[in-house]
Amino acid sequence: MIRPVALEIAELRGWRASGPVALDRPVTVLVGDNGRGKSSTLAAIEWCLFGREVEGVKGTGIAERNDWEVRRREAGRHDTVVRLTLATSDGQAVVSRCRPAGAKASAADLVEVTLPDGRTVEGAAAAAWL
């Protein structure tokens, strides 16, 4: 079984940057007023794992708002980055997805997975692991 244990977000939707958000409890509850990042937190996990496959797809949560974009509009020169730490049967793996600042809409995201044994895989190998 694979389960999320920590999440870091930078320049995604309503998030400027975050330290690790702990997800290592049996139940994680997101509570807050409207516009405080609850949906953005879930969108960050979804985008980190699936990238463009979930952008604009109905029923994923990401497409529920007509104005949804991966990058924060005020991000400027900063990359949009999400790092999701996953507990696996072999230890912890870290999935990182980055949309570089200034990247064209058609540019591919940078995806990297640090495996439990410390090796890092990118691109197609990272996608295959996911």
Side-chain angles (χ1 to χ4, degrees), residues 38-50:
K38 299 176 302 292
S39 296
S40 294
T41 302
L42 297 176
I45 294 169
E46 202 169 29
W47 179 68
C48 186
L49 293 172
F50 304 108

Side-chain angles (χ1 to χ4, degrees), residues 41-110:
T41 302
L42 297 176
I45 294 169
E46 202 169 29
W47 179 68
C48 186
L49 293 172
F50 304 108
R52 292 187 187 276
E53 293 177 29
V54 296
E55 290 180 43
V57 177
K58 293 288 184 196
T60 65
I62 285 179
E64 300 307 320
R65 294 184 184 198
N66 294 331
D67 63 344
W68 192 85
E69 296 175 4
V70 169
R71 292 185 49 73
R72 268 184 5 95
R73 289 194 176 131
E74 299 85 17
R77 298 173 298 174
H78 302 284
D79 295 346
T80 298
V81 180
V82 176
R83 284 185 192 87
L84 181 62
T85 303
L86 302 168
T88 73
S89 58
D90 297 325
Q92 289 191 346
V94 179
V95 179
S96 299
R97 184 173 296 271
C98 174
R99 183 156 300 163
K104 296 187 186 284
S106 60
D109 295 332
L110 305 174

